[in-house]
Amino acid sequence: MVPDVLCLPWQEGEWSLLLDGDRALLRRGPYAGFACERDLLDHLLARSLDEAGARPQRLRLWHRGEAAAPALPELEIDAETVTDPFTVLARGVDPRAPLNLLQGPFQRKRDYARLVRPYRLPLALAAAALIAAVGLRVLAQQQLAEHRERLEAEIESVYRQVFPNSRNLTAPRRQLENRLAELAPGAAGGPSPAARPGRGRRRAGRSGGPAAHRPAVQRRSARPRPRRRRRAETRRLQTNPGRPRPEHRTAFGEHRRRTRPGPSEDPAVIETWLQTLRERWDTLAPRERLYLGLGAVLSAVLLFYALLWLPLERNIARLEDVTARQVEDLQWMREAAARIRALEQRGAGRLPAGGSLLALVDQRLIAAGLKSALARMEPDGPDAVKLWLNGAAFDRLVLLLGELEQNHGIRVASLAVTATDTPGLVDARLTLRKPGRS
């Protein structure tokens, strides 16, 4: 559909005017013009000329002969008499480029609110049910996390009853199993951690002992760690401010500064972007809008499931598995702690009075496989003993010291270790002291 005003012939630099009885049609540009009554033409034409940025050079006029031309002395008027005004209108019609007025912001719009209105209550109930389901899952996750914290506190409390002097809480069930096996061999009982469902094998030392008994004494690597290298570089830069930073770090820092997001965008820019999207949406056909709407709803459902619901369910399943294992461990540890206290009260595992420190150390050396490395052992007063070891396995020595401290309260008063030519073997001179002494 093309307006009759835009059917008038028109060229750049001229206006077109058709007088047909009491009606006048004026075309001022490729998509500009108006239609009015003949009595208002002079006033509207003068107003249009005043408002026009570039005044036309010529006015083309078509009339039937009885109409007088408007008085415009400043314009060149090219008048032509016609009998049928439709012949003039037919000249300006271009069938190859019709103008569709029912498009863009002027196209026919569907009242989506009216379509959704009958389903408002079911949609509201579905949204409320979804929010309630998410809230319940979040509440369940919070309750499981709190239950896990309480179980961890109870496990630590039971562990401290057996090992009051222990500083680190590592593999408490394994340590109670080892302690119970020392006090009453074969009485540890219960499935091993590796045999229980959901349990992976714990890391053990090269000598076969559990990693939980390793004390804090460790060999330091001669190779500096990356964190230490960064700290050393920072100290050097602080002492020498004029020294440039390494090239790779400077480039990395510049890259971080370049890729760091800036402040929030200008609201005007965001509004322009939204307006562009609205205009693009208005130009779409109804079927395209339907497809895009369904795609948006499906994408929202998938994102909700992938980013919120699925991680929530996985976390809840993990917490349920962890709390179930902790309940099992706590029940077994309570029984084991009671048995350990009963055995200790009967005297099993206690350090005998007098010079029994030598006997206990000698017994533990044999159990650790270090008896062959013992070169000399002598008491150092009533509460200490000195040992000289040659060619002892370092890992076994560390495990032995940790066992003596955790299970018997015997601490290392002094320790000197010298590496040998054989990897893993050391010469050691140490002093062990009874608990309760400094």
Side-chain angles (χ1 to χ4, degrees), residues 128-146 304-305 307-321:
L130 184 61
I131 294 174
V134 174
L136 290 176
R137 301 311 290 169
V138 172
L139 181 61
Q141 177 182 351
Q142 184 67 23
Q143 292 176 349
L144 286 173
E146 295 176 355
F304 169 80
Y305 178 78
L307 300 181
L308 182 61
W309 188 263
L310 186 59
L312 193 61
E313 288 293 329
R314 288 178 176 175
N315 195 25
I316 289 176
R318 181 183 61 83
L319 289 174
E320 289 177 348
D321 183 56

Side-chain angles (χ1 to χ4, degrees), residues 187-203:
S192 63
R196 282 178 288 162
R199 287 277 186 163
R201 292 188 176 181
R202 290 185 175 90
R203 184 180 58 185

Side-chain angles (χ1 to χ4, degrees), residues 33-60:
F34 62 85
C36 66
E37 296 181 358
R38 180 66 182 83
D39 298 338
L40 301 176
L41 176 63
D42 295 338
H43 173 71
L44 296 178
L45 184 57
R47 182 70 177 270
S48 299
L49 289 173
D50 295 338
E51 295 177 354
R55 298 174 65 87
Q57 300 176 2
R58 185 177 63 164
L59 177 65
R60 297 185 63 182

